[in-house]
Amino acid sequence: MSDSSTTETAEDEQPTTTTTTAGETVEEVQDEWIEYDFDGPAKFSATDLNVWYGDDHALHDITIDIPENSVTALIGPSGCGKSTFLRCLNRMNDRIKAARVEGSVELDGEEIYQEGVDLVELRKRVGQVFQSPNPFPKSIRDNIAYGPRKHGDINTGLLARLLGGDDREREEELVERCLRGAALWEEVSDRLDDNALGLSGGQQQRLCIARALAVDPEVILMDEPASALDPIATSKIEDLVEDLAEEYTVVIVTHNMQQAARISDQTAVFLTGGHLVEYGDTDQIFENPQSQRVEDYITGKFG
Amino acid sequence: MNTDASRNDLVKRGNSTLGVAAVLLAAGALLGALLGALALFEAFAVTDAVAGLSIARWFGVLLAGLGVALLGVGATSRAGLVRSEPDRTAGPVAGVAFSLVGLVIGGLLASQTLGFGTLWPIGALIVGAVALLLTVYPRGDLGATLPSGLLSLFTGIVVATGVIAPGWSWSPIPGSFTLPGDIAVPLLAIVVGFLVAWMAARAYGGFGTQGKQASAYLLVSASAAGMLALLVVLVSYIVVRGWAPMTEGVKWGLFWANWTYFYVPPIHRYVVIDGPVLWFHWPFVMNGHALLNDVNGIMPAIVGTVWLVLGAIVFAVPLGVGAAVFLTEYAGQSRFTQLVEVSTNGLWSTPSIVYGLFGWAFLVPRLGNGFSILSGQLVLGFMLLPLVIITSREALTSVPNAYRDASAALGVGKWETIKSVVLPAAMPGVTTGIILGIGRIAGETAPILLVAAGSPFPSDAPNVLTSFQLSATPPFVTNDALLQATSALPYQLYAVITAGVNKNAGLAWGTALVLLLVVLSFYAIGIASRIYFRKRLEA
Ligand SMILES: Nc1ncnc2c1ncn2[C@@H]1O[C@H](COP(=O)(O)OP(=O)(O)OP(=O)(O)O)[C@@H](O)[C@H]1O
Ligand SMILES: [Mg+2]
């Protein structure tokens, strides 16, 4: 076991006695946490992460390490804090006024909740795909080139053309590479200048993935990216996610157990109230969950 | 058995007799109202005779006939001769409407015909109460038809027998208000026609819930049609009166003339290219006022108005959009933004003369100490500003947050996001606001009168474009033309109308028509740009 592997243990000093839906107390639930060891470096490691929305304590003491170049699925009933946790990883929570975050999240060992963190740089490294497809009302090309253009990596404006620094060709390459990466190239290669809102929902979602790839991130966060899509579009996204894991670290929220089982390498189960209850190899979580409540949730008995 | 009887048929087959009669009745009543409106706008004279009877009396005959028919419809329904589904009562709305009509008629009868003197309220109350009872107490079908039918019959008889006729007049306040018969008759036709049509629509739906539905539909569609008619009347009135003066002396022709020529060295020749040339002379919009003109025109006023509006836009739009961006994107919801919101709404409803007064007292002394286009542009800009802020804020808040999130998640900063995503998405809304605002400021007279008005009929237009000059001392750019007074279309119109003795009505209508066209062309530009911005957002 390498020295960067981590161990998670129950924190039995928890004073809270909130009763959960299944009638167990929180301490009982947390006693059932299991250790999860993995080889290789951790991309993210969150320690004692707490989030409040006003007085609403949405995440309780989350401690988790997410390995690099793999797919991590977050599952759990609605309102348990999956999206909140995801937003902690690229500090999109900063955009919510009521949200307050305490604890630590490290990206490649570097604390992202410290002073002086450049949010632009952070979000360039940690991209996000949202639950409902949200392409800009611009052409397909402009959608993909948007990030690099804004970051000054590509200049195609009038001024750039006059000064001879025109990056048109590089932009063409980038657009094609990202669209191929998002398995969309075949479908849209002949209409790159059409408005992105004219695409189907599934195509739009893959365009959003392509747009996220264009800024060359290391991590891609996905919040139920397939929830608005039909089975065929969903399976395309799923295939895509598995491919992406070769190059990127993917953290994906899903409500679909089969989806989580199919595509993820490890799974974290959150339960109501914002507690991380179980985390481990996906196969192990689905075949042999340690906690009765997780088993109930996975088999559909509650949640 | 019992339940079957109380339940209405699910499928209604064919036209019921009641339905046909009601449609005819409503059509007749609306026709009467329409003819009344036409007579009111002097499409024809009510004194003209048709088939030996004056049109005024024909109105009476029509109303009396409608009354009888409506009473007949109600009676047959009550007697169960036709199928209907009447409610228990005609309802409070109809009750209030007819009791008001009853109050008026009773009051008039008591005071004017019967000579009750100061006791006329007694007559009014009695007739009003009877009308209320007649409407509300009987079953729905009778309650709907009895008062309206009686009213129509009564007015019909009064008009047909010539009691109220074109020669008749009534002065409730002698010397200050007189209602002549040739206005009273069409007016009666309109009011009574609408009441009858309303109740006929109830009959069409069988007097029950369906009937109320039908009558409500009639009322709302009638008000929509009325509004449209008003618009058409207004515009056509101006076009009809303004067309002749506006197009006076228009000349044009097609000529074969030289377009261009150039020297071709190899053949040592000049090549001359000729082509058709359109020659066009439109004195009313191309001339100013001068002694030797064939037709005196209003070009200086047109140019003045265009400069005033353009200046106001150039001043107000960037400022307003900027303020809106700050308030929506940066300031968030707070006491401060609420205060700003309230005060922008207040500014928008501030009367234009107040803006004018401010400009007169504050701007005029500081900008060249005289009336000037620049002051006018600024004052109109002040007036435009609140609307631009309000509509831009509206447009910005309706841009989905998903766009902002998507952009932020790509690591793009706030200002870049606003510039490249939020503002383009808000542009259609912003332009709508500007379009609305132009309509208001282009026609403003009061502030122009106070800050920018020179001679209403100058001979030359302000030469703003060619008067820009650079200088080495502040303010570096000067423009004498901007500091001169100007004429403007609404101001000129005002000057013509108040001219008194030498009033030139043709000039006034022509000016009004041109003003309408100028505003419409600004609209056209605005709408075209809105379509352009929207196209860019849509698939
Ligand atoms: N912007 C917000 N303001 C206030 N409270 C919020 C906000 N977002 C989330 N919450 C609260 O935080 C808790 C966790 O919400 P979160 O969206 O993270 O749940 P989730 O697990 O993603 O649920 P779902 O599966 O339905 O998306 C909920 O109780 C929710 O009401
Ligand atoms: Mg969620």
Side-chain angles (χ1 to χ4, degrees):
Chain A
M1 201 146 294
S2 76
D3 48 10
S4 61
S5 65
T6 54
T7 304
E8 288 190 12
T9 48
E11 290 170 50
D12 35 23
E13 78 278 5
Q14 271 296 317
T16 171
T17 51
T18 331
T19 47
T20 62
T21 39
E24 299 162 299
T25 61
V26 168
E27 286 104 317
E28 280 176 79
V29 168
Q30 290 179 334
D31 285 342
E32 293 159 13
W33 281 5
I34 50 129
E35 298 180 5
Y36 177 57
D37 303 329
F38 53 85
D39 300 330
K43 191 72 189 172
F44 278 112
S45 57
T47 317
D48 288 334
L49 190 65
N50 283 281
V51 178
W52 288 263
Y53 293 107
D55 293 332
D56 181 12
H57 198 166
L59 279 184
H60 292 263
D61 295 322
I62 306 297
T63 300
I64 185 172
D65 283 8
I66 293 172
E68 196 166 26
N69 291 355
S70 64
V71 180
T72 305
L74 310 179
I75 62 173
S78 184
C80 66
K82 306 180 294 291
S83 301
T84 302
F85 176 71
L86 207 64
R87 284 198 297 265
C88 289
L89 300 182
N90 60 350
R91 289 191 56 174
M92 285 292 275
N93 273 332
D94 291 18
R95 296 169 52 75
I96 300 173
K97 271 231 182 76
R100 184 163 57 87
V101 180
E102 271 177 22
S104 134
V105 177
E106 287 175 3
L107 171 62
D108 289 334
E110 207 174 351
E111 177 61 49
I112 67 171
Y113 280 97
Q114 64 178 327
E115 227 162 282
V117 169
D118 182 359
L119 289 185
V120 169
E121 209 49 43
L122 172 67
R123 289 176 188 157
K124 272 165 77 174
R125 286 172 63 184
V126 185
Q128 182 171 4
V129 176
F130 295 82
Q131 173 168 4
S132 45
N134 55 359
F136 300 123
K138 299 173 182 291
S139 72
I140 294 172
R141 185 198 313 277
D142 287 350
N143 261 282
I144 293 173
Y146 178 80
R149 281 184 195 162
K150 291 295 146 194
H151 296 137
D153 299 337
I154 278 184
N155 293 303
T156 55
L158 187 65
L159 199 61
R161 225 173 301 162
L162 289 178
L163 297 178
D166 189 6
D167 293 331
R168 243 142 230 272
E169 273 170 34
R170 282 211 302 132
E171 184 182 284
E172 286 298 311
E173 283 164 20
L174 174 90
V175 168
E176 178 171 347
R177 180 163 50 80
C178 295
L179 282 173
R180 282 191 193 282
L184 189 60
W185 174 252
E186 314 293 323
E187 287 157 71
V188 301
S189 59
D190 54 344
R191 48 173 174 147
L192 294 179
D193 290 311
D194 287 6
N195 196 301
L197 298 185
L199 298 175
S200 77
Q203 291 172 330
Q204 287 188 10
Q205 192 62 300
R206 276 177 286 150
L207 177 64
C208 291
I209 295 174
R211 182 176 65 185
L213 296 181
V215 291
D216 202 15
E218 297 159 16
V219 183
I220 299 175
L221 310 175
M222 297 187 174
D223 197 345
E224 301 176 53
S227 70
L229 306 180
D230 71 66
I232 294 174
T234 302
S235 79
K236 281 190 181 165
I237 302 267
E238 286 180 9
D239 292 347
L240 182 56
V241 169
E242 290 188 285
D243 291 346
L244 289 177
E246 288 166 15
E247 257 184 89
Y248 306 91
T249 305
V250 178
V251 184
I252 182 168
V253 172
T254 174
H255 274 149
N256 182 331
M257 301 300 156
Q258 287 82 23
Q259 190 175 69
R262 270 195 303 269
I263 62 176
S264 69
D265 301 309
Q266 53 276 327
T267 298
V269 186
F270 287 71
L271 286 183
T272 313
H275 300 272
L276 175 62
V277 185
E278 209 163 312
Y279 178 47
D281 265 337
T282 298
D283 298 341
Q284 187 259 315
I285 295 270
F286 279 91
E287 277 155 27
N288 183 23
Q290 303 294 299
S291 144
Q292 183 60 42
R293 280 161 46 77
V294 170
E295 185 172 347
D296 287 349
Y297 175 69
I298 287 169
T299 53
K301 283 198 190 119
F302 99 100
Chain B
M1 258 340 269
N2 212 350
T3 49
D4 274 0
S6 64
R7 189 179 293 159
N8 293 330
D9 296 338
L10 188 61
V11 181
K12 301 197 168 69
R13 281 177 204 84
N15 287 332
S16 67
T17 344
L18 183 64
V20 175
V23 167
L24 288 177
L25 200 54
L30 287 178
L31 182 71
L34 186 67
L35 289 177
L38 288 178
L40 214 53
F41 285 109
E42 297 166 0
F44 53 84
V46 287
T47 46
D48 289 352
V50 174
L53 211 56
S54 78
I55 292 180
R57 295 205 178 203
W58 278 116
F59 270 122
V61 172
L62 177 65
L63 290 183
L66 289 172
V68 172
L70 194 57
L71 289 173
V73 165
T76 46
S77 164
R78 182 69 183 93
L81 300 177
V82 290
R83 197 179 57 193
S84 61
E85 299 133 12
D87 281 351
R88 167 63 202 88
T89 161
V93 177
V96 169
F98 283 108
S99 66
L100 281 179
V101 174
L103 275 176
V104 172
I105 291 182
L108 289 178
L109 280 180
S111 64
Q112 308 297 315
T113 318
L114 302 176
F116 271 30
T118 49
L119 293 180
W120 66 265
I122 297 178
L125 283 179
I126 290 175
V127 179
V130 169
L132 181 64
L133 271 184
L134 277 185
T135 314
V136 180
Y137 183 68
R139 209 174 74 172
D141 42 3
L142 219 50
T145 53
L146 209 52
S148 53
L150 286 178
L151 171 74
S152 189
L153 183 59
F154 173 70
T155 25
I157 290 172
V158 168
V159 174
T161 53
V163 175
I164 294 181
W168 171 91
S169 83
W170 174 51
S171 326
I173 314 160
S176 69
F177 174 76
T178 310
L179 185 66
D182 49 0
I183 288 184
V185 171
L187 220 50
L188 281 175
I190 294 174
V191 172
V192 176
F194 264 111
L195 286 174
V196 170
W198 181 21
M199 289 304 140
R202 286 226 176 153
Y204 174 73
F207 295 107
T209 323
Q210 295 261 316
K212 287 187 176 147
Q213 179 120 338
S215 64
Y217 179 77
L218 182 100
L219 288 185
V220 291
S221 52
S223 35
M227 190 216 65
L228 216 63
L230 197 66
L231 213 67
V232 170
V233 166
L234 197 95
V235 172
S236 47
Y237 208 71
I238 295 171
V239 171
V240 165
R241 296 189 173 217
W243 185 259
M246 186 180 83
T247 53
E248 191 184 348
V250 169
K251 291 188 210 114
W252 61 284
L254 213 52
F255 294 93
W256 203 255
N258 172 247
W259 273 8
T260 181
Y261 61 90
F262 47 86
Y263 181 69
V264 186
I267 54 172
H268 302 288
R269 291 257 156 77
Y270 278 95
V271 173
V272 180
I273 296 178
D274 286 351
V277 171
L278 188 71
W279 175 83
F280 193 75
H281 183 57
W282 186 0
F284 193 73
V285 303
M286 288 156 94
N287 281 354
H289 259 257
L291 265 182
L292 295 177
N293 279 348
D294 48 344
V295 176
N296 273 327
I298 58 171
M299 200 258 281
I302 299 176
V303 174
T305 288
V306 169
W307 278 120
L308 286 171
V309 171
L310 284 183
I313 293 175
V314 165
F315 170 71
V317 169
L319 211 61
V321 173
V325 166
F326 175 77
L327 290 171
T328 17
E329 303 292 323
Y330 289 94
Q333 267 300 335
S334 69
R335 275 283 144 88
F336 171 68
T337 45
Q338 277 170 356
L339 191 73
V340 173
E341 199 151 308
V342 169
S343 42
T344 27
N345 289 343
L347 275 181
W348 172 237
S349 6
T350 301
S352 56
I353 188 85
V354 176
Y355 282 98
L357 191 65
F358 169 74
W360 179 72
F362 183 81
L363 290 179
V364 169
R366 284 166 179 78
L367 294 172
N369 208 10
F371 286 6
S372 64
I373 299 182
L374 188 59
S375 307
Q377 290 172 326
L378 289 179
V379 169
L380 293 182
F382 293 155
M383 293 178 54
L384 188 57
L385 197 55
L387 185 71
V388 173
I389 295 181
I390 292 168
T391 48
S392 304
R393 281 204 66 177
E394 201 72 25
L396 287 168
T397 32
S398 62
V399 173
N401 263 328
Y403 295 162
R404 300 184 178 91
D405 288 343
S407 185
L410 289 167
V412 176
K414 193 160 190 163
W415 169 242
E416 286 290 335
T417 302
I418 292 170
K419 200 179 71 179
S420 326
V421 179
V422 180
L423 270 181
M427 270 328 268
V430 173
T431 20
T432 307
I434 299 170
I435 294 173
L436 287 177
I438 289 171
R440 180 179 184 200
I441 60 169
E444 267 316 330
T445 318
I448 292 176
L449 211 58
L450 287 176
V451 301
S455 151
F457 310 109
S459 58
D460 292 309
N463 207 346
V464 176
L465 263 192
T466 51
S467 304
F468 279 104
Q469 276 180 333
L470 297 179
S471 63
T473 51
F476 302 114
V477 184
T478 56
N479 190 327
D480 286 340
L482 275 183
L483 289 179
Q484 257 137 46
T486 182
S487 181
L489 288 168
Y491 164 61
Q492 182 186 289
L493 194 54
Y494 170 79
V496 177
I497 294 169
T498 50
V501 195
N502 286 329
K503 179 145 68 182
N504 182 346
L507 184 61
W509 287 111
T511 308
L513 182 53
V514 170
L515 177 57
L516 206 65
L517 291 177
V518 168
V519 171
L520 283 182
S521 3
F522 275 119
Y523 272 25
I525 296 171
I527 289 170
S529 43
R530 184 170 64 192
I531 290 173
Y532 166 76
F533 287 129
R534 192 162 284 162
K535 270 268 158 57
R536 287 182 31 158
L537 298 176
E538 277 168 5

